[in-house]
């Protein structure tokens, strides 16, 4: 990993921040992005303010990465938004906003990263889904369906990018103690966790373990897979 | 604003580089008429993807122009903007001037 370039979206906080620091500890260069500034300081870390739902901004972001580093080895599509609402009470505007970040943003970043990866015939893309997809969690129709779309995108892009030496996989975490679930009532989290084979909240280390596996040079034969944590 | 001639030269530069790894080479001596994709073209769909990405990056590097050369007609035999070097150059210029819908 020492000379690798890893792009982490949503790296300002939560899982993205943890994974950016995890990649830095492994010795590579990390380029993070989020809508706001980051306070992460490291000689091998650079941060860009990018709204990944803005196609032009994403194109410019990866153009800058190419000019500065000439390559991207890994893309970790962490940036995401969640919303709890019954489908009958969800405005179209909210539904669209969730898709614009979770689906369109993941697509834009994957497309632009893959353009850089294909030149070197090597790349690893990891997307984020959620256990709420196989658990068909009610009350989050927009979020869950957007993350189901991420799984489908992962599976199709895995096939399209395989000839270029690029793998595309996804991780479906259980609830983890981050901002994303802070607004969710405790009884709902307990119910969700209770449906797992291993009924506990996930940890950042649980996530990093799977990410390391997907990013490994030895995982070139692993693509189009979604790994759910917790035994779902 | 970059002229069409500059765009054509950038595309031919990419074709020249790509010819080194192609079994059947792009006929760059035909200039704008050189077929790329389709009936007479030498690029298959994967080759076209690599070619278009290389053109995007070359335009960005040599002319400082950021264009997104994605098009739903990409693999259409008749309407593809990637049929020839000239058609691609016209498409690029249209993108640069915001004429493309």
């Amino acid at each position: 990993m020492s000379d690798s370039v890893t792009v982490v979206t949503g790296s300002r906080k939560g899982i993205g921040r943890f994974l950016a620091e995890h990649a830095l500890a492994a010795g590579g260069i990390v380029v993070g992005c989020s809508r706001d500034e980051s306070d992460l300081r490291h000689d091998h870390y650079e941060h860009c303010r990018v709204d990944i739902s803005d196609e032009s901004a994403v194109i410019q972001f990866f153009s800058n990465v190419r000019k500065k580093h000439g390559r991207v080895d890994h893309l970790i599509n962490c940036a995401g938004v969640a919303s709890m609402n019954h489908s009958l009470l969800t405005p179209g505007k909210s539904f669209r906003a969730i898709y614009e970040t979770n689906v369109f943003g993941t697509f834009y970043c994957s497309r632009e990263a893959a353009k850089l990866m294909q030149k070197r015939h090597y790349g690893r893309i990891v997307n984020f889904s959620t256990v709420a997809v196989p658990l068909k969690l009610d009350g989050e129709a927009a979020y869950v369906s957007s993350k189901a779309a991420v799984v489908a995108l992962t599976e199709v892009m895995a096939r399209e990018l395989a000839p270029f030496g690029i793998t595309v996989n996804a991780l479906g975490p259980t609830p983890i103690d981050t901002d994303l679930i802070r607004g969710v009532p405790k009884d709902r989290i307990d119910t969700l966790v209770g449906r797992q084979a291993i009924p506990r909240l996930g940890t950042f280390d649980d996530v990093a373990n799977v990410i390391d596996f997907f990013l490994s040079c030895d995982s070139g034969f692993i693509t189009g897979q979604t790994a759910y944590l917790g035994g779902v | 604003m970059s002229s069409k001639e500059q765009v054509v030269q950038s595309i031919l530069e990419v074709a020249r580089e790509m010819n080194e790894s192609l079994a059947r080479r792009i006929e760059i001596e035909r200039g704008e008429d050189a077929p790329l994709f389709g009936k007479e073209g030498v690029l298959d769909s994967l080759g076209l993807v690599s070619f278009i990405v290389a053109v995007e990056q070359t335009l960005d590097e040599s002319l400082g122009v950021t264009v997104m050369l994605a098009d739903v007609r990409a693999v259409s035999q008749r309407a593809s903007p990637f049929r020839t070097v000239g058609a691609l150059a016209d498409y690029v210029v249209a993108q640069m001037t915001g004429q493309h819908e």
Side-chain angles (χ1 to χ4, degrees):
Chain A
M1 294 269 288
S2 60
D3 62 345
S4 65
V5 176
T6 301
V7 172
V8 183
T9 70
S11 62
R12 190 175 69 84
K13 60 183 183 178
I15 297 173
R17 167 71 176 245
F18 177 82
L19 292 174
E21 291 177 331
H22 183 73
L24 287 165
I29 292 166
V30 177
V31 183
C33 71
S34 65
R35 282 177 293 192
D36 296 310
E37 284 298 342
S38 168
D39 61 2
L40 175 54
R41 300 284 178 264
H42 189 286
D43 288 347
H44 294 148
Y45 180 76
E46 52 200 77
H47 193 86
C48 301
R49 289 185 64 177
V50 181
D51 176 355
I52 61 159
S53 67
D54 180 342
E55 184 174 22
S56 302
V58 171
I59 291 171
Q60 193 57 55
F61 170 59
F62 279 95
S63 170
N64 293 341
V65 171
R66 178 170 52 79
K67 285 169 187 164
K68 184 159 185 186
H69 301 290
R71 63 193 276 187
V72 171
D73 298 86
H74 314 129
L75 167 67
I76 305 174
N77 276 313
C78 255
V81 289
S83 169
M84 277 200 63
N85 222 347
H86 192 283
S87 53
L88 300 188
L89 301 175
T90 302
K93 191 178 172 188
S94 307
F95 202 94
R96 186 175 293 112
I98 288 169
Y99 269 67
E100 282 177 349
T101 297
N102 294 357
V103 185
F104 284 70
T106 295
F107 169 65
Y108 297 147
C109 292
S110 300
R111 185 190 66 200
E112 294 308 307
K115 287 178 182 177
L116 302 189
M117 292 168 173
Q118 59 92 31
K119 204 166 182 180
R120 299 180 66 245
H121 210 76
Y122 181 88
R124 301 276 183 263
I125 296 174
V126 184
N127 297 325
F128 269 75
S129 184
T130 167
V131 293
V133 172
L135 291 177
K136 300 166 180 58
L137 187 66
D138 56 300
E140 300 195 18
Y143 175 66
V144 174
S145 61
S146 74
K147 289 299 190 179
V150 168
V151 172
L153 185 67
T154 299
E155 292 169 353
V156 176
M157 287 191 81
R159 289 175 177 272
E160 292 185 353
L161 299 180
F164 299 111
I166 301 167
T167 65
V168 188
N169 292 288
L171 168 65
T174 61
I176 296 172
D177 188 20
T178 64
D179 284 355
L180 206 66
I181 68 160
R182 215 145 281 161
V184 183
K186 186 177 179 305
D187 61 322
R188 282 196 61 85
I189 295 295
D190 290 344
T191 303
L192 180 59
V193 167
R195 293 170 68 186
Q196 298 164 194
I198 305 167
R200 66 163 172 83
L201 287 176
T203 67
F204 287 163
D205 286 328
D206 293 327
V207 172
N209 178 46
V210 179
I211 296 287
D212 287 344
F213 170 67
F214 283 147
L215 296 189
S216 167
C217 294
D218 297 329
S219 296
F221 203 42
I222 308 292
T223 196
Q225 305 303 304
T226 300
Y228 294 107
L229 297 179
V232 172
Chain B
M1 184 58 65
S2 306
S3 68
K4 182 182 171 185
E5 185 51 33
Q6 286 176 296
V7 173
V8 168
Q9 289 311 315
S10 293
I11 296 169
L12 289 173
E13 184 186 318
V14 171
R16 205 167 288 124
E17 279 177 28
M18 203 140 190
N19 272 345
E20 291 172 18
S21 58
L22 285 175
R24 208 180 128 209
R25 56 184 289 284
I26 300 165
E27 299 170 86
I28 51 178
E29 59 281 0
R30 289 176 65 181
E32 288 192 37
D33 294 329
L36 295 174
F37 182 75
K39 208 173 177 182
E40 288 183 80
V42 300
L43 299 171
D44 59 17
S45 54
L46 283 181
L48 178 67
V49 170
S50 295
F51 188 85
I52 294 304
V53 169
V55 169
E56 282 181 356
Q57 292 176 353
T58 301
L59 291 170
D60 191 9
E61 280 160 18
S62 59
L63 304 180
V65 172
T66 305
V67 282
M68 170 79 206
L69 299 178
D71 195 291
V72 290
R73 300 168 301 164
V75 293
S76 159
Q77 295 287 320
R78 284 188 303 135
S80 172
F82 311 132
R83 298 182 310 278
T84 63
V85 168
L88 177 55
D90 285 336
Y91 180 64
V92 170
V93 172
Q95 290 277 352
M96 285 159 50
T97 54
Q99 292 168 9
H100 179 71
E101 291 299 317

Coordinates of all heavy atoms in Angstrom, one line a residue, chain A residues 55 59-60 63 66-67 111-112 115-116 118-119 160 163-164, chain B residues 46 49-50 53-54 56-58 60-61 66-70:
Chain A
E55 N -22.2 16.3 -10.7 CA -21.4 15.5 -11.7 C -20.1 16.3 -12.1 O -19.0 15.8 -12.2 CB -22.2 15.2 -12.9 CG -21.5 14.3 -13.9 CD -22.4 13.9 -15.1 OE1 -23.4 14.5 -15.3 OE2 -22.0 12.9 -15.7
I59 N -16.1 15.2 -11.7 CA -15.2 15.2 -12.8 C -14.0 16.0 -12.6 O -12.8 15.6 -12.8 CB -15.9 15.6 -14.1 CG1 -17.0 14.6 -14.5 CG2 -14.9 15.8 -15.3 CD1 -17.9 15.0 -15.7
Q60 N -14.2 17.2 -12.1 CA -13.1 18.1 -11.8 C -12.2 17.5 -10.7 O -11.0 17.6 -10.7 CB -13.6 19.5 -11.4 CG -12.5 20.6 -11.4 CD -11.8 20.7 -12.7 OE1 -12.4 20.9 -13.7 NE2 -10.5 20.6 -12.7
S63 N -10.1 14.8 -12.1 CA -9.1 15.4 -13.0 C -7.9 15.9 -12.2 O -6.8 15.8 -12.6 CB -9.8 16.5 -13.8 OG -8.8 17.3 -14.5
R66 N -5.8 13.1 -11.0 CA -5.0 12.6 -12.1 C -3.8 13.4 -12.3 O -2.7 13.0 -12.5 CB -5.8 12.4 -13.4 CG -5.0 12.0 -14.6 CD -5.9 11.6 -15.7 NE -6.8 12.7 -16.1 CZ -6.5 13.8 -16.8 NH1 -5.2 13.9 -17.2 NH2 -7.4 14.7 -17.0
K67 N -4.0 14.8 -12.3 CA -2.9 15.7 -12.6 C -1.9 15.6 -11.5 O -0.7 15.8 -11.7 CB -3.4 17.1 -12.8 CG -4.1 17.3 -14.1 CD -4.9 18.6 -14.2 CE -5.7 18.7 -15.5 NZ -6.7 19.7 -15.4
R111 N -17.3 5.9 -11.9 CA -17.0 6.1 -13.3 C -15.7 6.8 -13.5 O -14.9 6.4 -14.3 CB -18.2 6.9 -14.0 CG -18.0 7.0 -15.5 CD -19.1 8.0 -16.0 NE -18.8 9.4 -15.5 CZ -19.8 10.3 -15.5 NH1 -21.0 10.1 -15.9 NH2 -19.5 11.5 -15.0
E112 N -15.6 8.0 -12.8 CA -14.4 8.8 -13.0 C -13.1 8.1 -12.4 O -12.0 8.1 -13.0 CB -14.5 10.1 -12.3 CG -15.6 11.0 -13.0 CD -15.4 11.1 -14.5 OE1 -14.3 11.5 -14.9 OE2 -16.4 10.8 -15.2
K115 N -12.0 5.4 -14.9 CA -11.3 5.9 -16.0 C -9.8 6.0 -15.8 O -8.9 5.8 -16.6 CB -11.8 7.3 -16.4 CG -13.2 7.3 -17.0 CD -13.6 8.7 -17.3 CE -15.0 8.7 -17.9 NZ -15.5 10.1 -18.1
L116 N -9.4 6.4 -14.5 CA -8.0 6.4 -14.2 C -7.4 5.0 -14.0 O -6.3 4.7 -14.3 CB -7.8 7.2 -12.9 CG -8.3 8.7 -12.9 CD1 -7.8 9.4 -11.7 CD2 -7.8 9.4 -14.1
Q118 N -8.4 2.1 -15.3 CA -8.3 1.3 -16.5 C -7.0 1.5 -17.3 O -6.5 0.6 -17.9 CB -9.5 1.5 -17.4 CG -9.7 2.9 -18.0 CD -9.0 3.1 -19.3 OE1 -8.9 2.2 -20.1 NE2 -8.6 4.3 -19.6
K119 N -6.4 2.6 -17.1 CA -5.1 2.9 -17.8 C -4.0 2.0 -17.3 O -3.1 1.6 -18.0 CB -4.8 4.4 -17.7 CG -3.8 4.9 -18.8 CD -3.8 6.4 -18.7 CE -2.9 6.9 -19.9 NZ -2.8 8.4 -19.9
E160 N -18.8 -4.9 -16.1 CA -18.3 -4.0 -17.1 C -16.8 -3.6 -16.9 O -16.1 -3.4 -17.9 CB -19.2 -2.7 -17.1 CG -20.6 -3.0 -17.6 CD -21.4 -1.7 -17.7 OE1 -20.9 -0.6 -17.3 OE2 -22.5 -1.8 -18.2
P163 N -12.9 -6.5 -17.4 CA -11.9 -6.6 -18.5 C -10.8 -5.5 -18.3 O -9.7 -5.7 -19.0 CB -12.7 -6.2 -19.8 CG -14.1 -6.5 -19.4 CD -14.3 -6.2 -18.0
F164 N -11.0 -4.5 -17.5 CA -10.0 -3.5 -17.2 C -9.2 -3.8 -15.9 O -8.5 -2.9 -15.5 CB -10.6 -2.1 -17.1 CG -11.4 -1.7 -18.4 CD1 -12.7 -1.6 -18.4 CD2 -10.7 -1.4 -19.6 CE1 -13.4 -1.3 -19.5 CE2 -11.3 -1.1 -20.7 CZ -12.7 -1.0 -20.7
Chain B
L46 N -15.0 -2.4 -26.0 CA -14.0 -2.1 -24.9 C -12.9 -1.2 -25.4 O -12.5 -0.3 -24.6 CB -13.4 -3.4 -24.4 CG -14.3 -4.3 -23.5 CD1 -13.5 -5.5 -23.1 CD2 -14.8 -3.5 -22.3
V49 N -14.2 2.3 -25.3 CA -14.2 2.9 -24.0 C -12.8 3.5 -23.6 O -12.6 4.6 -23.2 CB -14.6 1.8 -22.9 CG1 -14.4 2.4 -21.5 CG2 -16.0 1.5 -23.1
S50 N -11.7 2.7 -23.8 CA -10.4 3.1 -23.5 C -10.0 4.3 -24.4 O -9.3 5.2 -23.9 CB -9.4 2.0 -23.8 OG -9.6 0.9 -22.9
V53 N -11.8 7.5 -23.2 CA -11.3 8.0 -21.9 C -9.9 8.7 -22.2 O -9.6 9.7 -21.6 CB -11.1 6.8 -20.9 CG1 -10.2 7.2 -19.7 CG2 -12.5 6.3 -20.5
A54 N -9.1 8.1 -23.1 CA -7.8 8.6 -23.4 C -8.0 10.0 -24.1 O -7.2 10.9 -23.8 CB -7.0 7.7 -24.3
E56 N -10.5 12.1 -23.6 CA -10.9 13.0 -22.5 C -9.7 13.5 -21.8 O -9.5 14.7 -21.5 CB -11.9 12.3 -21.5 CG -13.3 12.2 -22.0 CD -14.2 11.5 -20.9 OE1 -13.7 11.1 -19.9 OE2 -15.4 11.4 -21.2
Q57 N -8.8 12.6 -21.4 CA -7.6 13.0 -20.6 C -6.7 13.8 -21.4 O -6.1 14.7 -20.9 CB -7.0 11.7 -20.1 CG -7.9 11.0 -19.0 CD -7.4 9.7 -18.5 OE1 -6.4 9.2 -19.0 NE2 -8.1 9.1 -17.5
T58 N -6.5 13.5 -22.7 CA -5.6 14.2 -23.6 C -6.1 15.7 -23.8 O -5.3 16.6 -23.7 CB -5.4 13.5 -24.9 OG1 -4.9 12.2 -24.7 CG2 -4.5 14.3 -25.8
D60 N -7.9 17.3 -21.8 CA -7.7 18.0 -20.5 C -6.3 18.4 -20.3 O -6.0 19.6 -19.9 CB -8.2 17.0 -19.3 CG -8.3 17.7 -18.0 OD1 -8.2 19.0 -18.0 OD2 -8.4 17.1 -17.0
E61 N -5.4 17.5 -20.7 CA -3.9 17.8 -20.5 C -3.4 18.8 -21.5 O -2.7 19.8 -21.2 CB -3.1 16.5 -20.6 CG -3.2 15.8 -19.3 CD -2.8 14.3 -19.5 OE1 -2.2 14.0 -20.5 OE2 -3.1 13.5 -18.6
T66 N -12.1 20.4 -20.2 CA -12.8 19.2 -19.5 C -14.1 18.9 -20.2 O -15.0 19.7 -20.1 CB -13.0 19.5 -18.0 OG1 -11.8 19.9 -17.4 CG2 -13.5 18.3 -17.3
V67 N -14.1 17.8 -20.9 CA -15.4 17.4 -21.5 C -15.7 16.0 -21.1 O -14.9 15.2 -20.8 CB -15.3 17.5 -23.1 CG1 -15.5 18.9 -23.6 CG2 -14.1 16.8 -23.6
M68 N -17.0 15.7 -21.1 CA -17.5 14.4 -20.8 C -18.1 13.8 -22.0 O -19.1 14.3 -22.6 CB -18.6 14.6 -19.7 CG -19.4 13.4 -19.4 SD -18.5 12.4 -18.3 CE -19.3 10.8 -18.7
L69 N -17.4 12.8 -22.6 CA -17.7 12.3 -23.9 C -18.7 11.1 -23.8 O -18.5 10.1 -24.6 CB -16.5 12.0 -24.7 CG -15.6 13.2 -25.0 CD1 -14.3 12.8 -25.7 CD2 -16.3 14.3 -25.7
A70 N -19.6 11.1 -22.8 CA -20.5 10.0 -22.7 C -21.7 10.3 -23.6 O -22.1 11.5 -23.6 CB -21.0 9.9 -21.3

